[in-house]
Amino acid sequence: MRIGLVTGPWIPVPPATYGGTERVVDTLARGFAAAGHEVLLAAPSDSSCPVQLVPGMRPTDYEGLGSTLAELSHVVRAYEGLQDVDIIHDHTLAGPLYLHRPGGVPLATTIHGPIHGQAADIYRAVARNGAVIAISRDQALSAPDVPVTRVIHHGMDLSAVPVGTGKGGYLCFVGRSCPDKGLLEAITIARQAGLHLRIAVKMREPEEVRYFREVIEPLLGPNEDFMGEVDDVEKYRLMGEAMAFLNPIQWSEPFGLVMIEALATGTPVVGTSIGSAPEIIDHGRTGFLGKTDELADLVPAAAALDRAVCRKDVEERFSAERMVAEHLELYGQLVAGRRL
């Protein structure tokens, strides 16, 4: 197949640091190419994914993150370059509703965020003429009136992820600086457990900076080591040497990519039992889930779990190969015109 992929205008593919959607698309693009398919990627022009890039795209526009105008302009340019493909998989919000898509080419889109309220309106409309992919069963069930074609969990390339020793003597947190991700709760949990906490967070947008300055920074003390935003090498080292990874999310996250990254390094996860977490963490085997006020007591048991089991679980359930194969199966059915 000749596969067209579309991402947003704000983050390159692959991302240098933060960028979950772009990381997934990079993995898909490489996997499709390795399987012998031709891939055409509509992404910022400074992207380095080793597939053919749609010409005429603008460079990364991180300062305009979330701008409707930036996304619409990006989508117009993307579809101008995707006229000769067998299928388009669009990871933007605006693209699947674009009027001038190439005729007769099937379309798939992945829901990367919550699907309630305004988002549900969009995906109900998209589903009239395209396939809608959810990234967890919890996400799909949160909006039963949105016709979801397939649930496909994220996967990751494990080839560059080393298994750590877990002997660093600390807990770690990796995420964004915002209330939903549970950084405040992670600090409390680590202190209650009597363990040092190492923190790596994305803190670029004004609300992220404000939350850190007003809520988190005044709390930091000798028990916390704040590292800022880190690249993949440092992130996997941080995770791999941690006794456990703290993920006390405070919202129904559609898919916690950071959880499978931690497990890939062999590090068990301790987190809240909401959103997609129960689909990712095998309670008592690759980590422990519970209510926020229960998590400190679960840390010692999590640290004693078998790290080889954590890694093997990702290899079996969340590999890039599995994710790529499930997408290609769906694409084949869409190209063949089968009703799904």
Side-chain angles (χ1 to χ4, degrees), residues 91-120:
H91 294 264
T92 70
L93 270 176
L97 297 174
Y98 183 54
L99 180 63
H100 302 294
R101 299 205 314 255
V105 177
L107 174 86
T109 190
T110 295
I111 311 171
H112 288 281
I115 44 174
H116 47 67
Q118 294 170 322

Side-chain angles (χ1 to χ4, degrees), residues 136 138-139 180-182 185 189 245-254 256 259 269-284 287-296 298:
S136 68
D138 180 80
Q139 183 197 46
D180 287 344
K181 293 293 186 178
E185 288 74 15
I189 291 163
F245 179 83
L246 296 184
N247 192 57
I249 53 173
Q250 301 297 299
W251 72 302
S252 294
E253 191 166 36
M259 286 188 280
V269 174
V270 176
T272 40
S273 184
I274 56 178
S276 61
E279 297 174 48
I280 298 172
I281 304 305
D282 187 347
H283 184 79
F288 287 94
L289 300 175
K291 298 177 181 178
T292 301
D293 60 5
E294 300 171 337
L295 299 186
L298 296 173

Side-chain angles (χ1 to χ4, degrees), residues 134-150:
I135 56 178
S136 68
R137 293 186 294 276
D138 180 80
Q139 183 197 46
L141 291 171
S142 69
D145 58 338
V146 174
V148 170
T149 307
R150 194 73 50 87

